Amino acid sequence: MKQKLIAAARDAAKNAYCKYSNYRVGAALLAEDGSIWLGCNVENSSFGATNCAERTAVFSAIAAGKHKFSAIAIVGGSDENPATPCGICRQVLAEFCPPDMPVYFAGLEGGDISTTTIGELLPLAFSGAKL
Ligand code: THU
């Protein structure tokens, strides 16, 4: 599944709209029912309106009614310096994904796949009031 998710993330990266940074990122989020939700970064001339690949994938899945996830793959950057989720994406992932959920990441063109977890990416995540 790790390889399949990374391949899906690589496909998604092809759709990145990254005319300002020229930094292509793709994400593939595995829902508990086996469905895979893709994301790419979508930039904007007002830079702060940019949406990262990870959040695009999470928001697509949520919009389709999926709420339980079991893994995510992210591709971007190089084999030596692969993309890892930004702070905002870590918080968004922590909202919907369990702390022990695997996060796979690799460079855009291939090379080693590294594995971490949501909890390692954002320890002591803020979760607000327990509603
Ligand atoms: N970006 C992502 O999509 N995900 C990451 O994990 C890191 C950064 C995007 C945002 C922006 O479009 C470009 O990469 C450069 O920061």
Side-chain angles (χ1 to χ4, degrees), residues 73-91:
I74 300 149
V75 302
S78 62
D79 187 26
E80 300 72 38
N81 188 21
T84 55
C86 78
I88 294 173
C89 287
R90 290 176 196 214
Q91 183 67 36

Side-chain angles (χ1 to χ4, degrees), residues 21-63:
S21 73
N22 214 16
Y23 190 90
R24 209 169 267 285
V25 186
L29 177 65
L30 177 66
E32 256 184 24
D33 66 357
S35 58
I36 294 175
W37 299 88
L38 303 179
C40 61
N41 50 332
V42 183
E43 298 188 342
N44 193 276
S45 58
S46 175
F47 296 168
T50 290
N51 209 59
C52 292
E54 298 88 328
R55 274 175 290 144
T56 305
V58 169
F59 297 156
S60 297
I62 296 294

Side-chain angles (χ1 to χ4, degrees), residues 4 32 41 62 78 83 88 93 100 120 122 126:
K4 184 177 174 183
E32 256 184 24
N41 50 332
I62 296 294
S78 62
I88 294 173
L93 288 166
D100 62 348
E120 277 173 354
L122 189 62
F126 177 71

Side-chain angles (χ1 to χ4, degrees), residues 80-124:
E80 300 72 38
N81 188 21
T84 55
C86 78
I88 294 173
C89 287
R90 290 176 196 214
Q91 183 67 36
V92 169
L93 288 166
E95 179 79 22
F96 297 107
C97 307
D100 62 348
M101 189 183 99
V103 177
Y104 308 122
F105 58 98
L108 193 60
E109 308 294 347
D112 291 342
I113 301 173
S114 302
T115 305
T116 182
T117 63
I118 297 291
E120 277 173 354
L121 286 173
L122 189 62
L124 300 174

